[in-house]
């Protein structure tokens, strides 16, 4: 097919990726990479370059809307970004010593288990007086808009969340899979933050994580302008639409969508490692 | 006393240092103070005082029969109703989980944290705009470049299956600008991509400045760390 047709199709796929990424806090790479490699046969390196562009665009677009609505917790985002950066550094250091295949399998199992955990509904506003001293010192608690008005929430287990996020940074760096999923999981399961706050704060953070890899990708030529162009132009409106939808969406439905995407990610990882792909 | 002009609006989290009590004398003529979600209704001529213990929440005292509900860090509001006849205090505990409006000109005694937290909201709004304009600017440039690209190359076959590993145009911003100025569509798209990548970085940098202004040094350190990590990874790629 010619470039025009190709670009239009990629644009369409990217729109979907942006929409999904903005709803789930995942950044859209999960749709973009398989779409480009399996459907269009694009070289994997161009695909991950395009995925990076889509993650940054989703992040900026969605985060802008969510911040304005008051969902994103800026402080949690900043706090956890530190962990991600540490994780990325550690990952880069240990990359030579780690068996990627073994890690992939372990990770796939973890993802499947996490998908199960995320699927289960949890009370969104547990009454709990105990507050981590770290949480109080860093002022991580907040409130988010619901149909009933502003609901406040408490953040628990900040050190556990931080540790999980370092691990997530390491894994993302080593395996190249998006860290958005881990971010949401750490916030939702460990820190017990309301789901919509977890996904929107994840959206806020993934742009920074992706920007950190951008230098390497540019230098190695992974980012192809002709390919990145339709991706970026498609992802952004999709992300903005997703942000509008999230406001009114039922949290349990969002959880289900998120779990399904995790399952797909896990299966894809296993598949890739079995066929020896990158 | 700090006067909070028109910024007494809903939605801010009141976090207090451990030893202070905030006195919030409310104006009589501000009926919108009363929330329909609060457990404290207007009680006519009955006066009562509310105290919410610190660490579990926020300390507030109300000197009129206007009601006030504050949450945020707290899940527990304890209030004492003074019986007008017997003047005895009755303690009732209730859970409040909604933040509501304060009257337009309430005064807060000796509390800097309130104004800090209001500027947290301002920071959020500012970052929201920064991200929005950054990504729109980048998209507009990419769109222009994209249109030129499609006009020029649209009919050629798509062949992204083969990895060519070119990175020369990105090797310096000067090259990108030269390409842009000579109207090369690739250069224009690349400029847009650079701006896109710069947007989250700018976001971190501005957040750091905002925290610096708020004198929140813990967060200045956190953001500085993130910013350094970003710069290191970007520079490291080219060195």
């Amino acid at each position: 097919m010619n470039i025009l047709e190709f670009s239009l199709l990629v644009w369409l796929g990217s729109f979907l990726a942006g929409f999904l990424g903005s709803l789930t806090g995942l950044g859209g790479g999960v749709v973009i990479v398989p779409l480009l490699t399996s459907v269009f046969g694009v070289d994997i390196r161009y695909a991950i370059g395009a995925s990076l562009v889509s993650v940054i665009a989703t992040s900026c677009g969605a985060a802008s809307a969510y911040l304005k609505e008051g969902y994103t917790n800026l402080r949690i985002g900043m706090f956890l970004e530190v962990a991600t950066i540490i994780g990325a550094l550690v990952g880069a250091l240990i990359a030579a010593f780690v068996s990627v295949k073994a890690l992939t399998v372990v990770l796939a199992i973890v993802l499947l288990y996490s998908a199960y955990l995320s699927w289960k509904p949890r009370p969104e506003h547990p009454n709990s007086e105990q507050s981590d001293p770290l949480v109080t010192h860093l002022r991580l608690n907040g409130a988010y808009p619901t149909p009933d008005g502003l609901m406040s929430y408490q953040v628990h287990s900040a050190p556990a969340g931080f540790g999980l996020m370092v691990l997530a940074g390491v894994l993302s760096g080593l395996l190249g899979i998006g860290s958005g999923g881990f971010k949401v999981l750490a916030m939702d399961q460990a820190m017990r933050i309301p789901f919509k706050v977890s996904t929107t704060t994840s959206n806020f953070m993934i742009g920074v994580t992706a920007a950190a890899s951008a230098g390497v990708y540019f230098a190695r030529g992974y980012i192809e302008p002709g390919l990145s162009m339709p991706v970026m132009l498609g992802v952004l409106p999709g992300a903005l639409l997703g942000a509008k939808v999230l406001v009114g969406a039922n949290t349990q439905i969002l959880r289900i969508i998120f779990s399904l995407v995790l399952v797909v990610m896990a299966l894809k990882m296993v598949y890739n490692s079995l066929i020896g792909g990158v | 006393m700090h006067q909070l002009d028109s910024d007494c609006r809903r939605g801010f989290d009141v976090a207090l240092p451990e030893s202070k009590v905030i006195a919030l004398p409310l104006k009589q003529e501000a009926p919108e103070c009363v929330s329909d979600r609060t457990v404290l209704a207007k009680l006519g001529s009955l006066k009562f005082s509310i105290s919410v213990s610190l660490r579990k929440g926020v300390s507030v005292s109300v000197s009129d029969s206007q009601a006030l509900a504050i949450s945020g860090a707290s899940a527990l509001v304890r209030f004492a109703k003074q019986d007008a006849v017997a003047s005895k205090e009755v303690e009732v505990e209730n859970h409040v989980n909604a933040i509501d409006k304060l009257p337009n000109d309430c005064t807060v005694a000796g509390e800097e944290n309130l104004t800090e937290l209001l500027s947290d909201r301002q920071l959020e709004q500012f970052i929201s705009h920064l991200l929005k304009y950054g990504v729109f600017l980048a998209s507009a440039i990419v769109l222009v470049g994209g249109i030129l690209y499609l006009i020029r190359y649209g009919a050629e076959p798509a062949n992204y299956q083969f990895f060519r590993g070119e990175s020369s145009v990105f090797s310096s911003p000067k090259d990108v600008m030269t390409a842009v100025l000579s109207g090369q569509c690739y250069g224009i798209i690349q400029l847009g991509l650079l701006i896109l990548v710069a947007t989250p970085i700018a976001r971190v940098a501005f957040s750091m400045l905002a925290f610096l202004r708020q004198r929140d040094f813990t967060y200045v350190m956190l953001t500085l760390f993130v910013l350094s990590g970003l710069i290191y990874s970007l520079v490291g790629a080219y060195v």
Side-chain angles (χ1 to χ4, degrees):
Chain A
M1 69 180 82
N2 67 27
I3 286 187
L4 182 63
E5 292 166 355
F6 177 75
S7 300
L8 284 173
L9 287 174
V10 169
W11 184 91
L12 210 57
S14 305
F15 184 84
L16 186 66
F19 180 73
L20 197 64
S22 150
L23 274 185
T24 56
L26 289 171
V30 131
V31 172
I32 296 268
V33 173
L35 177 73
L36 290 177
T37 52
S38 308
V39 175
F40 292 110
V42 171
D43 184 283
I44 183 80
R45 280 157 290 200
Y46 285 145
I48 59 181
S51 165
L52 184 99
V53 170
S54 93
V55 168
I56 299 184
T58 307
S59 172
C60 292
S64 156
Y66 291 138
L67 272 169
K68 196 165 132 198
E69 299 280 338
Y71 283 94
T72 308
N73 188 317
L74 204 74
R75 288 172 183 269
I76 294 179
M78 293 291 180
F79 170 62
L80 293 177
E81 269 169 18
V82 173
T84 314
I85 298 263
I86 294 176
L89 287 173
V90 171
L93 286 173
I94 68 174
F97 307 106
V98 167
S99 150
V100 173
K101 273 209 192 305
L103 208 54
T104 305
V105 173
V106 167
L107 189 63
I109 296 174
V110 168
L111 280 177
L112 287 172
Y113 179 62
S114 309
Y116 162 68
L117 281 180
S118 300
W119 180 292
K120 286 193 312 187
R122 278 194 318 107
E124 287 293 306
H125 316 289
N127 274 339
S128 161
E129 292 84 28
Q130 275 168 353
S131 207
D132 203 330
L134 189 60
V135 166
T136 320
H137 176 65
L138 292 175
R139 286 182 277 152
L140 296 178
N141 293 328
Y144 75 108
T146 64
D148 304 320
L150 272 175
M151 286 296 191
S152 67
Y153 56 86
Q154 284 200 318
V155 177
H156 306 86
S157 320
F162 191 88
L164 268 179
M165 205 60 84
V166 173
L167 193 60
V170 174
L171 289 171
S172 303
L174 287 178
L175 295 169
I177 77 168
S179 51
F182 295 120
K183 292 180 162 70
V184 176
L185 283 170
M187 284 189 277
D188 179 46
Q189 300 292 327
M191 296 168 83
R192 287 184 272 149
I193 294 170
F195 196 69
K196 283 189 185 176
V197 177
S198 305
T199 56
T200 55
T201 308
S202 168
N203 261 319
F204 176 70
M205 292 193 281
I206 53 182
V208 168
T209 317
S213 315
V216 172
Y217 285 25
F218 277 137
R220 292 187 191 162
Y222 287 11
I223 299 186
E224 216 310 311
L227 181 59
S228 306
M229 179 265 297
V231 167
M232 185 171 150
L233 295 176
V235 155
L236 190 61
L240 292 174
L241 182 66
K244 288 215 179 335
V245 168
L246 179 127
V247 174
N250 176 305
T251 300
Q252 188 53 28
I253 295 181
L254 291 178
R255 280 186 179 280
I256 292 174
I257 296 176
F258 179 73
S259 299
L260 287 174
V261 174
L262 283 189
V263 168
V264 167
M265 270 169 74
L267 294 176
K268 182 171 120 33
M269 288 188 63
V270 172
Y271 174 73
N272 281 347
S273 99
L274 285 179
I275 65 164
V278 171
Chain B
M1 298 283 262
H2 291 259
Q3 185 80 32
L4 293 176
D5 305 319
S6 57
D7 283 342
C8 287
R9 53 171 183 253
R10 62 177 294 177
F12 66 89
D13 188 7
V14 187
L16 299 179
E18 287 166 84
S19 57
K20 287 200 184 164
V21 172
I22 282 190
L24 281 165
L26 301 180
K27 296 267 173 159
Q28 297 267 8
E29 58 277 354
E32 60 270 12
C33 281
V34 181
S35 157
D36 53 7
R37 272 186 307 283
T38 181
V39 294
L40 311 164
K42 263 198 274 204
L43 295 172
S45 59
L46 271 180
K47 288 194 179 163
F48 58 87
S49 67
I50 311 165
S51 69
V52 177
S53 52
L54 282 167
R55 264 330 203 119
K56 288 183 192 171
V58 161
S59 218
V60 169
S61 67
V62 181
S63 60
D64 267 321
S65 60
Q66 298 290 343
L68 181 71
I70 287 190
S71 76
S74 73
L76 201 65
V77 173
R78 223 185 302 125
F79 61 97
K81 190 172 77 178
Q82 281 174 311
D83 189 322
V85 171
S87 12
K88 69 176 185 227
E89 291 192 26
V90 171
E91 276 197 28
V92 177
E93 288 185 8
N94 241 301
H95 287 262
V96 175
N97 57 4
I99 299 179
D100 215 306
K101 285 193 274 198
L102 291 177
N104 284 335
D105 44 6
C106 55
T107 53
V108 177
E111 190 42 67
E112 302 83 30
N113 280 347
L114 269 176
T115 46
E116 268 182 21
L117 284 154
L118 287 172
S119 55
D120 256 5
R121 284 293 289 153
Q122 287 171 343
L123 175 62
E124 282 175 12
Q125 298 296 323
F126 173 72
I127 291 183
S128 167
H129 288 143
L130 174 67
L131 289 173
K132 189 167 72 169
Y133 293 136
V135 83
F136 276 140
L137 178 66
S139 300
I141 295 179
V142 166
L143 182 64
V144 168
I147 291 173
L148 291 174
Y149 169 77
L150 288 175
I151 290 174
R152 172 108 200 269
Y153 294 104
E156 294 182 20
N159 66 341
Y160 294 108
Q161 296 89 335
F162 309 107
F163 182 67
R164 287 179 291 277
E166 293 164 355
S167 64
S168 49
V169 188
F170 272 122
S171 63
S172 76
K174 194 159 95 63
D175 287 347
V176 175
M177 284 319 292
T178 317
V180 169
L181 290 171
S182 61
Q184 285 184 26
C185 48
Y186 269 134
I188 296 177
I189 297 178
Q190 281 169 338
L191 179 65
L193 289 173
L194 279 179
I195 294 180
L196 179 69
V197 173
T199 305
I201 302 174
R203 186 264 282 174
V204 176
F206 276 107
S207 310
M208 190 183 76
L209 293 176
F211 287 129
L212 199 59
R213 234 190 73 193
Q214 283 181 17
R215 303 202 181 298
D216 191 341
F217 293 116
T218 317
Y219 275 91
V220 170
M221 297 293 288
L222 292 181
T223 347
L224 187 60
F225 182 80
V226 173
L227 192 60
S228 328
L230 276 177
I231 293 178
Y232 172 74
S233 63
L234 283 172
V235 168
Y238 284 99
V239 162

